[in-house]
Amino acid sequence: MNEPTAYGRPAGHERAAVEVHIPTPLAPAHTTPLGPMQPGAIPAVTSVVLPDGRVVTGYTLNPVHPEPVVTTPPAVSRAAVNVALGGVGFLAVCGGLLLLTTFIAALTALVTQLVILAAVIFGGWIAVQVFGASGPRGGTTVNIRKAVIKRNRFYG
């Protein structure tokens, strides 16, 4: 009696058959609207009979169609916008280059004026050194008192 079965359990302790209960759906109750509604606003009730004999009742819904999206082409093409932005950038660079060239021209004029000023000051110093009376200089001094010139010859 307590001999094991093919499944490893002793005989006499078999389990009872399992019963499966499938619930039967209830028929939907028809309810009235809670608040007062306009007669034209109540949608029609539709009933559908399923293949197994059940009846499904509900309101029909009209599918909502979205508004068509109107795509308007942009007023200005992207290429035109890119060209315009490139032009603005070019003008900004040109303005900077104009300022840079103006600065370089002013710097060149300043350097030129400083060179001229140095030349004038240095040249004046040299002139004072050459033509200034700063004492006797070495060399031969010739005093001419009466000079006689005969036949293109100088007799002193």
Side-chain angles (χ1 to χ4, degrees):
M1 173 167 145
N2 287 337
E3 302 228 349
T5 61
Y7 299 109
R9 294 191 184 113
H13 294 285
E14 292 84 15
R15 292 190 178 180
V18 178
E19 293 181 24
V20 177
H21 296 283
I22 299 175
T24 56
L26 297 174
H30 296 286
T31 59
T32 59
L34 297 175
M37 296 182 70
Q38 297 293 333
I42 299 173
V45 177
T46 304
S47 297
V48 176
V49 179
L50 296 177
D52 60 356
R54 291 183 291 163
V55 178
V56 178
T57 305
Y59 294 104
T60 59
L61 298 176
N62 295 330
V64 178
H65 298 291
E67 296 279 335
V69 178
V70 179
T71 57
T72 58
V76 181
S77 68
R78 287 183 182 255
V81 171
N82 290 338
V83 168
L85 290 176
V88 169
F90 182 73
L91 286 177
V93 169
C94 287
L97 289 177
L98 181 65
L99 289 175
L100 183 64
T101 54
T102 305
F103 174 75
I104 291 173
L107 188 63
T108 304
L110 176 68
V111 169
T112 304
Q113 289 177 359
L114 289 176
V115 167
I116 291 172
L117 180 64
V120 167
I121 291 173
F122 187 66
W125 182 76
I126 291 176
V128 167
Q129 295 299 319
V130 169
F131 297 115
S134 59
R137 297 191 183 264
T140 304
T141 303
V142 178
N143 292 322
I144 302 173
R145 296 193 179 150
K146 277 188 173 177
V148 178
I149 299 175
K150 289 184 179 176
R151 295 185 191 157
N152 291 330
R153 298 238 172 184
F154 177 74
Y155 299 97

